[in-house]
Amino acid sequence: MPWTLSDATDQSGRLAVITGANVGLGYYTALGLAQKGADVILACRKVEKASTAQAKIQAECPTANVSTMQLDVSKQASVKQFAHTFNAKYNKLDLLINNAGIMMPPFVETEDGFESQLATNYLGHFSLTGALLPTLNATPGARVISLASLAHAWGGINFQDLNFKQNYSARLAYGQSKLACLIFSYELDRRLKAAGATTLSVAAHPGVSATSLTRYMPKFIQPLAPLVAQSARAGADPTLYAALGEDVLGGHYTGPDGWRQMKGKAVKVGSSTASRDPHTAKKLWEMSETMTGTRFLSDL
């Protein structure tokens, strides 16, 4: 049966961090959680935009308890600062929703030397999860939700040139970054289970949703987006299902139930064989640790 927000129980007393929550999918994910009573932190690159989103959520849901924190997931230093500030202030975290992302921009190398999509969509969230995992594991019923995409099936992991510094393809680099997010979600689930942790690692994708991410798509494709896309509000439902669904377990993947998972109601879905390969996952995990300097708990 498809899941809707009305199926979720009251979330009062639970704390959620959502990256990139000022617009699009992140905004509607934050709104949905606030409507269910959760305390929500909008972790965004630009504080002024986060404050605008906070005001909008509180206008639509007057009982919402929403706050903002600055976080630029494309910068490892920002991730570390955010985690330090968060861990100093809070001793619990029920939901970490790794939502922030960019899609098919021109080639940009970040200050850490990473291709911008890999840095923003994947490596920043890898480090953020590692830094917040002790707090998550100390919180009963905690979940980590990683945002993947239909694009995860566009290709593989380019281990010879993860940062696409040679022969850059915006499309393939985007697909790789989203495949990495999905691989990470499954591998984190394996490691959490092996360590006996109760935190769930779950992935979700929004299908084709009308968000600002499409601004770098070819001009001739952009007018077609409304014909195949669903609204950002509907696109947030699989993420909310992954976060709140009582029948969701570690290692599950949620998305729309429509044709080719492009839009529809939120259900559990399958993913590519490559996304579930444990050997690829181990190699990617080790490279990610080396690239970011992030070390997860020793028992993971």
Side-chain angles (χ1 to χ4, degrees), residues 2-293:
W3 182 92
T4 65
L5 188 59
S6 62
D7 295 321
T9 59
D10 180 75
Q11 298 295 304
S12 297
R14 303 191 79 205
L15 178 63
V17 168
I18 308 171
T19 67
N22 61 288
V23 70
L25 300 170
Y27 172 82
Y28 285 108
T29 300
L31 176 61
L33 290 173
Q35 288 172 329
K36 284 296 178 178
D39 299 336
V40 181
I41 297 174
L42 313 180
C44 305
R45 184 168 59 91
K46 294 186 176 181
V47 174
E48 61 272 20
K49 290 187 176 181
S51 297
T52 299
Q54 176 186 15
K56 286 176 59 182
I57 291 172
Q58 290 175 326
E60 187 164 344
C61 181
T63 60
N65 184 6
V66 184
S67 58
T68 67
M69 289 180 67
Q70 199 279 330
L71 170 62
D72 184 344
V73 289
S74 74
K75 299 178 179 180
Q76 290 290 312
S78 181
V79 172
K80 290 178 174 61
Q81 181 59 52
F82 175 91
H84 175 78
T85 303
F86 179 89
N87 286 326
K89 186 174 181 180
Y90 300 96
N91 60 7
K92 62 172 287 184
L93 178 57
D94 297 274
L95 298 169
L96 172 59
I97 301 179
N98 292 325
N99 164 83
I102 55 175
M103 179 180 178
M104 294 191 283
F107 180 81
V108 172
E109 186 173 294
T110 68
E111 64 181 32
D112 300 299
F114 306 142
E115 186 273 321
S116 62
Q117 295 180 97
L118 187 71
T120 305
N121 300 350
Y122 170 60
L123 289 172
H125 289 126
F126 178 88
S127 294
L128 181 65
T129 304
L132 297 180
L133 195 59
T135 305
L136 286 156
N137 281 345
T139 308
R143 299 186 189 187
V144 178
I145 294 85
S146 299
L147 266 288
S149 166
L150 290 170
H152 86 269
W154 288 353
I157 302 296
N158 184 3
F159 285 114
Q160 286 67 47
D161 185 17
L162 272 179
N163 290 296
F164 275 86
K165 293 186 178 182
Q166 304 182 21
N167 300 319
Y168 177 67
S169 163
R171 181 178 182 275
L172 291 179
Y174 177 68
Q176 173 185 256
S177 72
K178 286 301 182 178
L179 175 58
C181 291
L182 191 49
I183 289 172
F184 168 67
S185 180
Y186 292 147
E187 179 63 10
L188 179 60
D189 171 63
R190 294 184 196 102
R191 293 176 182 237
L192 287 167
K193 286 174 177 172
T198 59
T199 300
L200 303 183
S201 176
V202 188
H205 82 84
V208 179
S209 300
T211 72
S212 60
L213 285 181
T214 60
R215 65 187 179 277
Y216 291 118
M217 292 178 69
K219 291 288 190 289
F220 72 91
I221 292 178
Q222 291 183 18
L224 300 177
L227 300 178
V228 297
Q230 61 187 354
S231 68
R233 186 186 289 264
D237 281 349
T239 303
L240 289 165
Y241 179 30
L244 304 179
E246 294 186 1
D247 62 337
V248 170
L249 304 175
H252 282 169
Y253 184 35
T254 61
D257 66 351
W259 184 67
R260 296 194 174 183
Q261 300 178 24
M262 294 175 72
K263 57 180 169 180
K265 301 295 185 182
V267 296
K268 294 169 191 170
V269 296
S271 63
S272 69
T273 301
S275 70
R276 296 183 176 277
D277 179 49
H279 302 291
T280 300
K282 184 175 185 293
K283 185 174 182 178
L284 179 64
W285 187 287
E286 291 172 351
M287 289 185 70
S288 302
E289 285 190 327
T290 299
M291 292 169 73
T292 65

